[in-house]
């Protein structure tokens, strides 16, 4: 992405490179949004929180809160063309500490990466398990045992995670991000097709109707304040907003890019992938007798069951986990970009060194999450393992809080005039009405709504 940035130069001399084409922008932004959030987190949270009611709140949160915040974040980044901390410093009045949003975002990135890298580790391990064929079974006991054997082994958990970190670090240090993005662009349609195929098979299973009812027929009694907070947190996580990733990507956007249209397309495509994952998984959950509330294990135990029903299922399952790993790599690269670009531009560290430092920190931080199902299973903070805690704090506190501050910043500090001008590409686009509507939401609706859902969900009011 940053192909022109020569490694090792001080930030001041850096010619800031950007995405080269409109399609490239869309693909890279989508590459950040689509990841384990769709394939792993969305199904497991939907299962654990009662199904359709959760989905409904998630959809509402994505539309009403996520989309406007996403536009705002990309816009701010493009206006200032800098890392999140410098962006907020440049756009805020002097001596107002809005740049702290950037600092919180960087901490959020580390927190997310420490558990995300472990889930990617499971995906990598599953590529190899799928190759050996041992996990291909529709018997819940077999697939559950295989997953438990992996996560309860401290050495395997750690080694796979280190493998993932070295892999991602290698991509960044070698400067082949661009190549990876080009590859992702080509491979994502295949993942999409494979998910469609999985859905078709899943829908032909005995209890498909039950699975679909669970996913689409809301039971409003299941929507509690904490369910709403989890759904909202997922909306933030899914769109990669509230912690600076979209701001950083926005800083690479071209000046003639139509931001509202891009954000809308990314949101739609992202929702599509999540829905396909849900439709692929829930019919199998009910047909083979898995527990919908199985938690983070859900995808890893049900997907092999679906593939066991498909001709050439083993080969296709290998492809599925490889493509999931590719999707997750795109998301991880965008997460890493936040601390790397901050260390690079703010502290003047060469990109390579910034990357290595980030990876090194993650080896330590991530170990807590990697060992959460084995050596550290009994080590709990607020009743959660380090894995669950990192997930909870990032999605349900840091990202929504980031969203509140960003909305307040745009709505009350930056102001309507600058917002409108920026959203219309300085008068090139005629989207005055849309700008007014989005601004209104950012000023009055998003901050209040996010705050209420957060405080209620955390049981503080
Ligand atoms: N949106 C990514 C996913 O769904 C995760 C992510 C969160 C990426 C925050 C960047 C920032 O997998």
């Amino acid at each position: 992405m940053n192909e022109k940035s020569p490694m090792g130069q001080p930030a001041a001399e850096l010619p800031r490179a950007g995405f080269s084409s409109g399609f490239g922008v869309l693909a890279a932004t989508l590459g950040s949004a689509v990841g384990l959030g769709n394939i792993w987190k969305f199904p497991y949270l939907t299962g654990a929180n009662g199904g359709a009611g959760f989905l409904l709140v998630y959809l509402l949160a994505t539309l009403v809160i996520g989309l406007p915040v996403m536009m705002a974040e990309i816009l701010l980044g493009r206006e200032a063309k800098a890392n999140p901390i410098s962006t907020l410093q440049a756009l805020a009045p002097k001596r107002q500490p809005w740049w702290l949003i950037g600092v919180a975002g960087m901490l959020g990135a580390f927190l997310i990466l420490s558990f995300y890298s472990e889930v990617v580790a499971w995906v990598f391990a599953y590529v190899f398990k799928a190759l050996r064929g041992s996990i291909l079974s529709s018997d819940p006991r077999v697939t559950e045992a295989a997953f438990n054997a992996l996560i309860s082994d401290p050495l395997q958990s750690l080694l796979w995670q280190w493998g993932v970190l070295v892999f991602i670090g290698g991509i960044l240090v070698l400067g082949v991000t661009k190549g990876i993005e080009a590859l992702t662009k080509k491979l994502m349609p295949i993942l999409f097709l494979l998910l469609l195929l999985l859905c078709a098979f899943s829908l032909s299973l005995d209890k498909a109707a039950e699975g679909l009812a669970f996913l689409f027929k809301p039971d409003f009694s299941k929507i509690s304040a904490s369910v709403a907070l989890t759904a909202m947190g997922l909306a933030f996580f899914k769109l990669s907003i509230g912690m600076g990733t979209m701001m950083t990507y926005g800083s690479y956007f071209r000046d003639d890019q139509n931001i509202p249209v891009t954000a809308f397309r990314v949101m739609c495509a992202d929702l599509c992938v999540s829905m396909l994952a849900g439709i692929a998984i829930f019919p199998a959950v009910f047909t083979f007798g898995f527990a919908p509330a199985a938690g983070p294990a859900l995808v890893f135990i049900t997907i092999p069951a679906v593939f066991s029903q498909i001709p050439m299922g083993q080969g296709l399952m290998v492809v599925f986990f490889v493509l999931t790993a590719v999707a997750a790599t795109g998301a991880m690269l965008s997460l890493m970009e936040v601390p790397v670009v901050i260390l690079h531009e703010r502290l003047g560290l060469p990109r390579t060194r910034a990357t290595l430092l980030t990876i090194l920190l993650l080896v330590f931080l991530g170990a807590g999450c990697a060992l959460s199902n084995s050596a550290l299973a009994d080590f709990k903070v607020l009743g959660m393992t380090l894995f669950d805690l990192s997930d909870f704090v990032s999605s349900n506190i840091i990202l929504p809080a980031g969203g509140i501050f960003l909305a307040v910043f745009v709505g009350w500090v930056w102001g309507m005039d600058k917002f409108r001008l920026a959203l219309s590409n300085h008068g090139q686009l005629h989207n005055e009405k849309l700008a007014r509507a989005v601004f209104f939401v950012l000023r009055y609706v998003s901050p209040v709504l996010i705050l209420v859902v957060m405080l209620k969900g955390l049981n503080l009011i």
Side-chain angles (χ1 to χ4, degrees):
M1 184 183 345
N2 230 352
E3 63 177 348
K4 278 185 256 155
S5 29
M7 284 189 198
Q9 282 194 13
E13 292 167 29
L14 248 189
R16 232 188 136 75
F19 296 127
S20 51
S21 69
F23 181 69
V25 174
L26 185 67
T29 314
L30 200 59
S32 166
V34 175
L36 292 176
N38 309 62
I39 291 165
W40 165 72
K41 205 173 193 209
F42 169 78
Y44 116 60
L45 288 180
T46 306
N49 289 287
F54 174 87
L55 174 61
L56 192 70
V57 184
Y58 163 62
L59 289 176
L60 278 175
T62 301
L63 261 178
V64 180
I65 297 171
L67 192 59
V69 171
M70 186 179 188
M71 289 183 200
E73 218 185 300
I74 297 177
L75 205 59
L76 294 174
R78 189 181 62 179
E79 275 307 287
K81 299 219 176 355
N83 63 77
I85 296 180
S86 307
T87 292
L88 288 154
Q89 263 178 351
L91 301 180
K94 283 217 166 26
R95 279 205 285 280
Q96 289 189 11
W98 293 97
W99 53 270
L100 285 171
I101 304 177
V103 176
M106 179 159 150
L107 296 179
F110 275 113
L111 215 52
I112 295 177
L113 279 163
S114 49
F115 74 88
Y116 205 88
S117 58
E118 183 55 23
V119 186
V120 184
W122 300 340
V123 175
F124 275 33
Y126 260 60
V127 171
F128 287 86
K129 281 184 186 276
L131 275 173
R132 278 194 268 124
S134 55
I135 45 171
L136 204 67
S137 164
S138 63
D139 182 349
R141 279 166 304 179
V142 174
T143 61
E144 277 162 22
F147 183 69
N148 287 334
L150 169 67
I151 62 168
S152 60
D153 179 343
L155 197 63
Q156 276 203 61
S157 305
L158 272 181
L159 289 179
W160 280 111
Q161 188 185 43
W162 292 344
V164 168
L165 290 172
V166 168
F167 174 72
I168 298 283
I171 293 177
L172 284 164
V173 169
L174 295 175
V176 291
T177 321
K178 195 97 189 165
I180 298 293
E181 269 158 13
L183 190 73
T184 313
K185 226 186 288 179
K186 292 203 190 81
L187 292 182
M188 282 309 99
I190 307 181
L191 177 63
F192 197 77
L193 289 179
L194 197 57
L195 278 171
L196 274 180
L197 179 82
L198 272 179
C199 288
F201 270 93
S202 239
L203 289 175
S204 70
L205 292 172
D206 283 350
K207 295 200 177 153
E210 239 175 272
L212 289 184
F214 179 80
L215 195 55
F216 293 117
K217 236 166 106 196
D219 172 355
F220 291 100
S221 67
K222 291 202 175 130
I223 308 177
S224 64
S226 77
V227 166
L229 175 60
T230 309
M232 185 177 77
L234 177 65
F236 274 90
F237 185 87
K238 276 308 316 122
L239 295 176
S240 313
I241 53 177
M243 43 72 67
T245 286
M246 281 301 151
M247 213 186 286
T248 308
Y249 271 34
S251 74
Y252 305 127
F253 266 49
R254 286 149 41 112
D255 289 331
D256 62 356
Q257 186 79 21
N258 190 330
I259 290 179
V261 171
T262 307
F264 185 74
R265 286 191 182 147
V266 169
M267 181 200 77
C268 291
D270 184 61
L271 280 177
C272 268
V273 179
S274 297
M275 295 316 301
L276 288 181
I279 297 172
I281 285 169
F282 286 104
V285 165
F286 288 89
T287 306
F288 302 118
F290 291 100
L298 188 71
V299 176
F300 294 94
I301 58 182
T302 47
I303 283 290
V306 184
F307 277 113
S308 74
Q309 306 296 301
I310 303 181
M312 297 191 305
Q314 188 191 345
L316 288 175
M317 187 162 70
V318 175
V319 178
F320 174 83
F321 282 113
V322 169
L323 293 177
T324 302
V326 173
T329 304
M332 266 191 103
L333 287 172
S334 77
L335 275 161
M336 300 261 311
E337 187 67 16
V338 175
V340 168
V341 83
I342 288 179
L343 291 172
H344 177 48
E345 294 185 351
R346 300 290 308 187
L347 301 184
L349 285 187
R351 260 190 91 91
T352 326
R353 230 182 280 166
T355 305
L356 291 177
L357 183 63
T358 305
I359 299 274
L360 202 66
L361 282 168
L362 283 171
V363 167
F364 287 102
L365 292 172
C369 295
L371 299 176
S372 280
N373 294 295
S374 51
L376 296 177
D378 294 327
F379 181 76
K380 297 209 168 133
V381 182
L382 302 171
M384 288 178 264
T385 61
L386 289 175
F387 182 101
D388 293 336
L389 189 74
S390 313
D391 188 353
F392 183 87
V393 172
S394 54
S395 283
N396 297 353
I397 298 176
I398 297 188
L399 303 189
I404 295 179
F405 285 112
L406 284 166
V408 169
F409 175 72
V410 171
W412 297 90
V413 180
W414 208 38
M416 177 64 188
D417 289 339
K418 287 185 187 142
F419 178 77
R420 199 177 46 192
L421 206 61
L423 201 73
S424 70
N425 296 351
H426 295 261
Q428 298 298 306
L429 304 170
H430 299 286
N431 53 11
E432 172 91 23
K433 277 203 187 113
L434 178 81
R436 281 185 187 284
V438 176
F439 187 79
F440 179 86
V441 172
L442 287 168
R443 187 169 157 107
Y444 298 108
V445 184
S446 317
V448 181
L449 207 59
I450 303 173
L451 191 67
V452 170
V453 174
M454 251 179 103
L455 294 179
K456 274 219 162 283
L458 295 172
N459 236 339
L460 296 174
I461 51 171

